[in-house]
Amino acid sequence: MTKTNKISRYLLCVAFFTLQLLCLTSSAQTVHFYTSDKLSSNQITRICQDKVGYIWVGTEYGLNKYDGYRFTNYLHETDDTTSVCSNVISFLSADSKGTVWVGTQKGLDRYDDVNDRFEHIPLRGATQVPRINHMIQEDEDHLLIGTAGYGLFRLDIRNNQSQKLNDYATSDNNYFSHIIIDSEGAFWKSGHGNSIVRRSPKGELEEFTSPYGTVTDFAEYEGGVLMVCIHG
């Protein structure tokens, strides 16, 4: 990555984070601006908001929680099994019950808001602790979790039990970089190449090839699925 691209990425992250803070504080009619030195790292990877209204900021070095007044930094500590399992935060999600799930380079954490600590959640069927790429809500009680090289998993958020899912892809069936379920109930996924897979509600698979490079995100748009790619 060139120096110019690094600066552009940094400015984009700062601008987006500032917008999130403005939205959070607008109800109190008070605006605060915070510099990146309040965060554990200025390389922001993900942002989400929990049921209380706290904003969580994942970075390349640590996790941060903003309560409207101050930041709390969470870092991995080798001797503390209740700390976040890795400092590289790859994904953040708040489920239908308000629980915050933290995807990292070395597995999945569930945030225990009562005790302000993290619970490490194993993914059954994974041959090693995987990097978490993406998470979506499948239904009221389940999350779908895409990993880098270890497949797709369904997690029951009622008891933290998981299972590895098969038949959700054709080729490239271990890499689930970005996933979405559309309004018709179809499951879409991209991996680390140009392949895109659609799985119908009946389990039928269709594979497409992106002419614009790897898909970096999905979004529903005007009744269809919009695919954001590296080259367009």
Side-chain angles (χ1 to χ4, degrees), residues 25 40 52 72 75 121 184 196 222 229:
T25 58
S40 57
V52 181
T72 301
L75 296 174
I121 307 299
E184 297 180 351
I196 305 162
E222 295 185 350
C229 304

Side-chain angles (χ1 to χ4, degrees), residues 138 144 152 154 165-170 176 180-182 184-189 196-208:
E138 182 182 30
L144 291 181
L152 179 71
R154 176 181 288 122
L165 300 178
N166 298 313
D167 303 322
Y168 272 70
T170 48
F176 289 77
I180 190 176
I181 296 176
D182 65 24
E184 297 180 351
F187 171 88
W188 296 76
K189 83 96 174 177
I196 305 162
V197 175
R198 178 186 183 273
R199 184 181 189 270
S200 74
K202 295 182 179 180
E204 300 166 336
L205 296 178
E206 295 180 87
E207 185 170 6
F208 310 93

